């Protein structure tokens, strides 16, 4: 009886071992690092700004590129992603942008021994290709705190930026979506720089 079971199972195992070949698809990875254009501001910067960790807003915890279809539904590209988590990359871009602007005497990180004049904290609330609008959109929602006045809240800043999609309202390629989203974040950072200028 044991021999008979073995003979029956063997053909089944052989049949299960034949699986259809699926082509391997490389995951594309894109940097999210807009660069500040133009020359830095002139003048003598006097104040310091502490930039705390930028948190990820709802739906932005994943690295996958996001597209919002014309009907409002969301599409995540599982074969195209950011090289780093988008909130982390946005924070590094924000630091580099403000350093390049020379708006403040120093852009501080958490744990710095230098006493800041102001503190900036908040989250990345939007980063997507808006197919129906033919643009990419990025948005940062931030709080500015005056540390010289005992940590008083100065105000809430909402900095947003858009950039055109090369595909218009057609589905963008990963390259088109990533390029437009990076440019949109750059425009949001430029808006933030203008808003912060009065406090420098």
């Amino acid at each position: 009886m044991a021999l008979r079971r073995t003979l029956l199972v063997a053909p089944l195992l052989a049949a299960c071992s034949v699986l259809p070949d699926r082509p391997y698809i490389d995951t594309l990875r894109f940097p999210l690092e807009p660069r500040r254009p133009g020359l830095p501001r002139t003048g003598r910067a006097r104040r310091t700004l502490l930039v705390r960790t930028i948190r990820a807003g709802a739906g932005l915890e994943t690295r996958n590129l996001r597209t919002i279809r014309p009907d409002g539904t969301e599409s995540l590209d599982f074969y195209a992603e950011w090289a780093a988590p988008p909130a982390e990359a946005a924070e590094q871009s924000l630091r580099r942008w403000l350093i390049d602007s020379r708006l403040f005497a120093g852009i501080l990180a958490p744990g710095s021994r230098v006493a800041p004049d102001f503190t900036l904290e908040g989250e990345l609330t939007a980063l997507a290709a808006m197919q129906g609008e033919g643009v990419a959109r990025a948005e940062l929602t931030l709080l500015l705190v005056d540390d010289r006045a005992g940590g008083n809240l100065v105000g809430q800043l909402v900095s947003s930026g858009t950039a055109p999609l090369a595909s218009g309202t057609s589905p963008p390629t990963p390259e088109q979506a990533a390029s437009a989203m990076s440019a949109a974040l750059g425009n949001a950072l430029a808006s933030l720089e203008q808003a912060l200028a009065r406090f420098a």
Side-chain angles (χ1 to χ4, degrees), residues 6-41:
T6 303
L7 293 175
L8 288 173
V9 170
L12 292 175
L13 291 176
C16 292
S17 66
V18 179
L19 297 175
D21 290 334
R22 293 185 179 179
Y24 175 77
I25 301 176
D26 281 325
T27 299
L28 302 174
R29 292 181 175 85
F30 299 93
L32 179 61
E33 47 182 20
R35 298 288 181 170
R36 182 183 183 277
L39 298 173
R41 294 173 180 267

Side-chain angles (χ1 to χ4, degrees), residues 40 52 55 58 61 80 104 115 126 148 191:
R52 295 195 181 278
R55 302 180 301 275
E61 302 88 355
F104 293 89
R148 303 166 304 169
S191 174

